[in-house]
Amino acid sequence: MTEWHSHIKNHLEKIVALENSLDEQLVSLMQQFIREKEQQGFAFGTLCVLHYVEYVEQLQDEIFDVAAAIELLILAFDIVDDLQDGDKDYVWMKTPALSLNVVLTMLTVASKIIGASSFTHRHEAIQIVEQYMLCSINGQHLDLLNHYRDEQAYISMIQQKSGSLVAMSCEVGVVLASGKRLQGVAQYAQAIGILQQIKNDIHNVTTEGSDLRQRKYSLPIFYMLTLQNKDASMIQSYYNGDTIQSIEHLQQLLVSNGAIRYALTMKNIYSKEAQTLIENTLTNDENKKYLLKMMK
């Protein structure tokens, strides 16, 4: 499946090159942003191709156009997320106003590519994209508000924000191949999105500390707040606005009180759930191996 990445990259470059009505600088920014994205790989486009291949006998090259469109959508969402958080050192952070124009362009081009494809079920694919995009935007809005105050509400938020984008990528591939939507695919895709976000939570509180500095609630924090001890009280006071000794001290408290271990346990629960659904839904062993590797 490694070769799919180069195919997606080539189709991305082709799509941008064909937009000859756009300003030269706008096209140049899109190309820069795509090159930066390339360093992270094209996991979402690959999910689209994988799920298309699962339900067709012969691979149609045009699916890589759709996969490239999916990557444009995901990149647009990533850029907006970074601009709103304001704590990432990416090229699009240097010119936020211009980057928003690139985002709008990417969203428009991606929708146009899918709609102009020759797939019989392209209109159903667009409906899936619209459904999950709105769901993810809603989740991102809830995340920015930072109003959720318990684990259940938090899981619901990341299911919308992150799970929806994984589900979108998988389901577009399925519907273009078969014209059907499969509940099992949607379920394990959502679980994959949730566990990936939990991995990010752990990284953000233990390595970067960015969520702690911004007083953002996450799974390790919710676990800490359920404890009845002085460490939990200290974290609660900090999240209420009090000052603390250092971010490093908070990180130590999360580790020593088992909050990181709890988050890892929850990640493994969603991983097991996704694994069972994958085994029961897919038949291609290579596709299964790729998804299982993605969850590690």
Side-chain angles (χ1 to χ4, degrees):
M1 294 176 187
T2 305
E3 69 275 11
W4 291 355
H5 287 245
S6 61
H7 286 313
I8 293 170
K9 176 189 173 184
N10 292 337
H11 283 253
L12 271 169
E13 293 173 347
K14 180 189 73 174
I15 287 170
V16 174
L18 288 174
E19 294 299 326
N20 50 25
S21 64
L22 297 175
D23 178 77
E24 183 178 334
Q25 186 187 32
L26 182 56
V27 172
S28 177
L29 283 173
M30 287 180 66
Q31 292 168 336
Q32 288 181 49
F33 295 176
I34 289 170
R35 283 195 295 270
E36 183 127 343
K37 167 69 172 177
E38 182 186 351
Q39 299 174 17
Q40 304 170 23
F42 300 115
F44 290 88
T46 299
L47 285 174
C48 177
V49 178
L50 181 154
H51 285 84
Y52 177 79
V53 168
E54 179 73 23
Y55 297 100
V56 294
E57 295 181 0
Q58 184 174 2
L59 179 64
Q60 186 175 339
D61 186 67
E62 195 176 11
I63 192 61
F64 290 105
D65 281 339
V66 177
I70 292 293
E71 286 295 342
L72 283 179
L73 290 171
I74 298 299
L75 179 52
F77 273 62
D78 285 345
I79 292 170
V80 170
D81 190 20
D82 291 338
L83 290 174
Q84 290 173 335
D85 288 344
D87 63 344
K88 297 290 194 303
D89 186 25
Y90 291 123
V91 62
W92 44 78
M93 299 300 293
K94 299 176 182 177
T95 55
L98 295 179
S99 297
L100 286 175
N101 282 338
V102 176
V103 166
L104 294 173
T105 303
M106 287 178 170
L107 294 174
T108 304
V109 170
S111 179
K112 184 176 74 171
I113 291 297
I114 299 172
S117 70
S118 64
F119 291 105
T120 303
H121 303 290
R122 60 188 179 277
H123 297 300
E124 290 91 333
I126 290 176
Q127 290 175 355
I128 289 171
V129 168
E130 292 172 345
Q131 171 196 338
Y132 282 124
M133 280 177 60
L134 286 174
C135 192
S136 184
I137 291 168
N138 191 65
Q140 173 69 2
H141 185 71
L142 294 173
D143 191 24
L144 285 172
L145 291 174
N146 202 29
H147 285 171
Y148 36 85
R149 290 296 181 269
D150 58 63
E151 182 178 310
Q152 183 177 358
Y154 179 71
I155 293 295
S156 175
M157 182 277 292
I158 62 174
Q159 180 177 1
Q160 293 179 64
K161 178 183 175 179
S162 303
S164 292
L165 297 180
V166 179
M168 175 186 73
S169 305
C170 299
E171 287 205 68
V172 165
V174 173
V175 81
L176 289 177
S178 66
K180 300 176 182 178
R181 299 186 69 171
L182 302 178
Q183 186 178 13
V185 172
Q187 289 175 333
Y188 69 65
Q190 296 275 3
I192 291 173
I194 291 171
L195 72 89
Q196 292 291 354
Q197 185 59 53
I198 293 174
K199 284 170 60 177
N200 289 342
D201 287 351
I202 296 170
H203 177 77
N204 286 339
V205 297
T206 57
T207 305
E208 293 185 1
S210 54
D211 282 359
L212 293 175
R213 281 189 289 273
Q214 297 176 19
R215 292 183 170 88
K216 288 188 66 174
Y217 287 90
S218 63
L219 210 54
I221 300 301
F222 284 123
Y223 175 82
M224 279 295 300
L225 297 181
T226 64
L227 304 179
Q228 302 295 322
N229 61 30
K230 63 178 183 179
D231 292 342
S233 297
M234 182 182 297
I235 286 183
Q236 182 66 76
S237 296
Y238 170 68
Y239 270 72
N240 289 339
D242 291 349
T243 58
I244 43 93
Q245 177 180 339
S246 67
I247 292 297
E248 290 74 19
H249 181 58
L250 290 185
Q251 292 172 323
Q252 293 169 5
L253 295 181
L254 291 173
V255 173
S256 62
N257 282 274
I260 304 305
R261 185 168 61 250
Y262 174 77
L264 285 170
T265 300
M266 291 300 296
K267 170 193 166 293
N268 291 335
I269 289 173
Y270 281 101
S271 180
K272 289 291 185 182
E273 176 187 332
Q275 183 175 344
T276 300
L277 288 164
I278 288 167
E279 292 291 347
N280 292 338
T281 306
L282 302 183
T283 58
N284 185 301
D285 287 338
E286 288 301 313
N287 291 344
K288 291 180 183 180
K289 287 178 183 177
Y290 179 86
L291 292 176
L292 295 178
K293 183 179 179 180
M294 174 184 285
M295 293 187 294
K296 291 181 179 178

